Amino acid sequence: MRKSLVKCLSFVTSIMICGAALTSCAAGASSNGGIPTEEQLSAAAEELGDDIGSLKFSADGVIYQFPVDTKAMLDTGWYFDSDVKSELKSIPANTLVAPSVSMRKNAKNGYGITSCGVQPMNRSASEAGLEETVIYSLNFYKEKGTTLILPGGITWNSTFDEVKELCGSQSAVDMEGIKYVQVNGADRDFSVQINFDSTENTVKSVEFKGRL
């Protein structure tokens, strides 16, 4: 039986959802493994620009701005499993959902089945439904197959050196097999961290994060 644990963190209450798995179905995955075509790159390039700190991104052909309204993702085909919707039917004021839960998206328009990890947050002063929250943490993983494009044309195939050159060496960490590039947004309350596979030296995950 699943249980919820409410924990106070200064002004933010975190709902601990036990057993929320970040899984997705491999069947129906896009044949390109989440690597965009030249046409898809060109279509996203003008709106995304080159500034990683803008915190814009393209996921399966749709441009988003982080932090993302949960409703914006729901309206573009992402959804929560029924057990998550039941667990989070009503979220207390100033509450961050933790740990991450999955949002999923079915195959459509040439894009395959995929999923991402999210932490919705109710930033209002009263209880709210899940669709009224803001996604305060958003994680994409290469293995899940989302066709992801970041400003500057960064994709899953981008290397550590390429991203470091685009973002600046001061944003890069390369220490004992751990490689990532982190860039803050304009107000520094939000950031994106691009993590790299130590063997292939290409992007393995992308984390958009809000600071509490």
Side-chain angles (χ1 to χ4, degrees), residues 32-47:
N32 66 354
I35 305 302
T37 63
E38 288 299 323
E39 183 179 359
Q40 290 166 344
L41 275 170
S42 297
E46 183 175 352
E47 189 164 354

Side-chain angles (χ1 to χ4, degrees), residues 1-6 15-20 87 98-99:
M1 181 177 180
R2 296 175 49 168
K3 299 179 180 179
S4 296
L5 174 65
V6 179
I15 298 178
M16 305 302 295
I17 303 170
C18 301
E87 186 78 38

Side-chain angles (χ1 to χ4, degrees), residues 132-165:
E132 300 172 280
T133 61
V134 173
I135 293 175
Y136 218 69
S137 173
L138 172 59
N139 299 331
F140 291 103
Y141 305 91
K142 181 178 181 179
E143 64 192 47
K144 303 300 183 183
T146 307
T147 301
L148 187 68
I149 307 172
L150 302 181
I154 295 173
T155 71
W156 299 119
N157 274 348
S158 297
T159 67
F160 177 73
D161 288 339
E162 289 170 342
V163 177
K164 182 172 70 171
E165 182 178 356

Side-chain angles (χ1 to χ4, degrees), residues 177-199:
I178 298 174
K179 292 184 177 183
Y180 65 85
V181 173
Q182 181 169 319
V183 178
N184 292 321
D187 61 5
R188 304 186 70 82
D189 285 336
F190 299 95
S191 64
V192 58
Q193 181 171 311
I194 305 167
N195 302 300
F196 296 83
D197 184 279
S198 59
T199 302

Side-chain angles (χ1 to χ4, degrees), residues 3 8 25 52 58 78 84 112 124 132 194 210:
K3 299 179 180 179
C8 293
C25 179
I52 306 295
S58 171
W78 295 85
V84 173
S124 72
E132 300 172 280
I194 305 167

Side-chain angles (χ1 to χ4, degrees), residues 12 18 21-22 26 29 36 43-44 59 71 80 91 94 96 107 118 120 129 136 152 161 164 185 193 199 209 212:
V12 179
C18 301
L22 296 177
K71 188 175 185 301
F80 293 99
I91 302 175
N94 298 313
L96 175 71
V118 301
Y136 218 69
D161 288 339
K164 182 172 70 171
Q193 181 171 311
T199 302
K209 300 177 287 186
L212 298 178

